[in-house]
């Protein structure tokens, strides 16, 4: 089961195959048009529809990725992971009010973000052709991104990975089945981005000059970036070799 629960406790079915269209319709509703226009001005690299629904309208999101019994709810501008079984055990039923009660509990207040927004400000999007390189996730299009909400200035590769992967599945729902098969074969969400999507984990020279990649599935701009950094002395670690050894 995938979809949204509204603050009015209405369930909206929204599988990844139609998630983008469902979000668009909500944003284009006459009641939301003006607020959405303001909200969307902060988005030039990624689409704003999903973020408007979960971060502005505060809909709870059910079934992220391939986890049907997980709910994500907004807390201070980040989506926090809640196990559906925990809600059932504590409250007896799953509804919007109980979801938001859980988010305010001390345990969930201590949890780090699961997914953050994809706005330009949040992800600090910058091309890898820029001379100033910072620790980040590098996309196959050659963009550095790092989500910092909930982590201070340093940010988190893990939350950035989940934020980007969710957006990939929304815009390319045909990849859901590919992700499912990858996980069944012992992979992880992080490694899926590296091995299948051709992303990189980049840690700047100021920290430890490290690049983590997954095989050779890279776009020309990313391949050139890798070559240049190796010349500069960056250590490049290929996780696909380690994963093959582990599976074998």
């Amino acid at each position: 089961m995938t979809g949204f629960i509204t603050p009015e406790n209405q369930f909206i079915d929204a599988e990844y195959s139609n998630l983008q269209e469902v979000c668009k319709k909500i944003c284009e509703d006459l009641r939301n048009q003006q607020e959405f226009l303001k909200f969307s001005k902060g988005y030039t690299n990624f689409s704003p529809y999903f973020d408007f629904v979960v971060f502005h309208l505060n809909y709870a999101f059910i079934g992220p990725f391939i986890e049907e019994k997980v709910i994500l709810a907004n807390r201070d501008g980040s989506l926090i992971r809640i196990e559906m079984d925990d809600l059932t055990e504590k409250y007896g039923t799953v509804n919007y009010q109980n979801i938001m009660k859980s988010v305010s509990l001390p345990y969930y207040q201590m949890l780090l973000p699961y997914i953050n927004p994809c706005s330009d400000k949040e992800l600090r999007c910058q091309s890898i052709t820029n001379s100033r390189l910072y620790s980040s996730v590098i996309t196959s299009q050659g963009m550095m991104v790092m989500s910092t909400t909930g982590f201070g200035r340093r940010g988190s590769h893990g939350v950035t990975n989940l934020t980007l992967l969710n957006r990939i599945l929304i815009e390319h729902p045909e990849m859901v089945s590919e992700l499912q098969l990858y996980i069944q074969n012992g992979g992880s969400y992080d490694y899926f981005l590296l091995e299948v999507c051709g992303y990189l984990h980049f840690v700047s020279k100021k920290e430890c000059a490290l690049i983590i990649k997954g095989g050779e599935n890279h776009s020309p701009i990313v391949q050139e970036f890798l070559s240049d950094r190796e010349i500069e002395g960056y250590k490049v670690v290929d996780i696909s070799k380690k994963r093959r050894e582990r599976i074998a």
Side-chain angles (χ1 to χ4, degrees), residues 127-129 138-144 193-200 213-228:
S127 172
I128 57 176
T129 59
I138 294 177
T139 73
S140 57
Q141 293 79 33
M143 185 183 298
M144 291 184 291
L193 277 183
L194 299 178
E195 282 199 287
V196 178
C197 302
Y199 284 30
L200 304 175
K213 68 174 186 175
E216 304 299 328
N217 179 32
H218 300 113
S219 62
I221 189 172
V222 172
Q223 188 57 56
E224 182 179 355
F225 176 84
L226 275 169
S227 300
D228 290 344

Side-chain angles (χ1 to χ4, degrees), residues 88-103:
T88 304
E89 182 178 341
K90 186 170 183 61
Y91 299 109
T93 186
V94 176
N95 59 37
Y96 188 84
Q97 290 69 33
N98 291 338
I99 292 169
M100 299 317 292
K101 281 181 189 176
S102 289
V103 170

Side-chain angles (χ1 to χ4, degrees), residues 158-177:
V159 172
T160 306
N161 287 339
L162 292 173
T163 299
L164 294 174
L165 180 57
N166 181 60
R167 193 51 52 100
I168 287 171
L169 297 181
I170 290 172
E171 297 182 357
H172 304 280
E174 69 277 3
M175 296 190 73
V176 173
S177 58

Side-chain angles (χ1 to χ4, degrees), residues 14-247:
E15 299 294 334
Y16 272 104
S17 57
N18 69 334
L19 188 57
Q20 184 84 313
E21 288 305 312
V22 168
C23 290
K24 279 184 178 180
K25 287 180 180 179
I26 294 170
C27 295
E28 292 167 355
D29 187 289
L30 287 175
R31 294 168 293 181
N32 299 322
Q33 281 183 359
Q34 292 302 315
E35 288 299 317
F36 175 69
L37 286 174
K38 295 178 186 176
F39 182 89
S40 62
K41 289 178 180 178
Y43 289 74
T44 58
N45 293 286
F46 297 94
S47 63
Y49 305 107
F50 175 83
D51 282 5
F52 181 80
V53 170
V54 296
F55 293 113
H56 186 80
L57 298 181
N58 289 318
Y59 287 18
F61 181 42
I62 302 175
F65 311 122
I66 51 176
E67 302 181 81
E68 292 186 354
K69 290 193 174 183
V70 169
I71 296 175
L72 302 184
N74 185 12
R75 185 201 71 198
D76 300 329
S78 296
L79 295 187
I80 305 303
R81 177 191 171 103
I82 302 173
E83 298 288 340
M84 199 176 293
D85 289 344
D86 290 348
L87 287 172
T88 304
E89 182 178 341
K90 186 170 183 61
Y91 299 109
T93 186
V94 176
N95 59 37
Y96 188 84
Q97 290 69 33
N98 291 338
I99 292 169
M100 299 317 292
K101 281 181 189 176
S102 289
V103 170
S104 65
L105 294 174
Y107 170 77
Y108 288 102
Q109 286 292 322
M110 291 187 295
L111 289 185
L112 293 173
Y114 196 67
I115 288 177
N116 278 333
C118 278
S119 66
D120 300 345
K121 181 180 180 181
E122 170 62 28
L123 290 180
R124 297 188 294 155
C125 304
Q126 179 179 297
S127 172
I128 57 176
T129 59
N130 193 299
S131 59
R132 181 182 173 274
L133 302 176
Y134 61 87
S135 296
S136 56
V137 176
I138 294 177
T139 73
S140 57
Q141 293 79 33
M143 185 183 298
M144 291 184 291
V145 294
M146 178 58 88
S147 182
T148 59
T149 294
F151 295 91
R153 294 181 179 181
R154 194 170 186 277
S156 164
H157 282 86
V159 172
T160 306
N161 287 339
L162 292 173
T163 299
L164 294 174
L165 180 57
N166 181 60
R167 193 51 52 100
I168 287 171
L169 297 181
I170 290 172
E171 297 182 357
H172 304 280
E174 69 277 3
M175 296 190 73
V176 173
S177 58
E178 192 171 355
L179 173 64
Q180 188 170 22
L181 180 61
Y182 185 85
I183 297 298
Q184 288 172 354
N185 288 329
S188 66
Y189 295 149
D190 291 341
Y191 282 14
F192 184 83
L193 277 183
L194 299 178
E195 282 199 287
V196 178
C197 302
Y199 284 30
L200 304 175
H201 284 185
F202 177 74
V203 183
S204 70
K205 187 173 287 188
K206 185 178 179 181
E207 295 184 55
C208 68
L210 174 68
I211 301 175
I212 303 176
K213 68 174 186 175
E216 304 299 328
N217 179 32
H218 300 113
S219 62
I221 189 172
V222 172
Q223 188 57 56
E224 182 179 355
F225 176 84
L226 275 169
S227 300
D228 290 344
R229 299 294 81 75
E230 285 189 278
I231 293 171
E232 292 177 1
Y234 276 79
K235 180 181 179 181
V236 178
V237 177
D238 188 346
I239 56 92
S240 62
K241 295 177 182 178
K242 294 182 179 180
R243 199 171 84 84
R244 285 196 295 271
E245 291 170 1
R246 190 167 64 249
I247 293 173

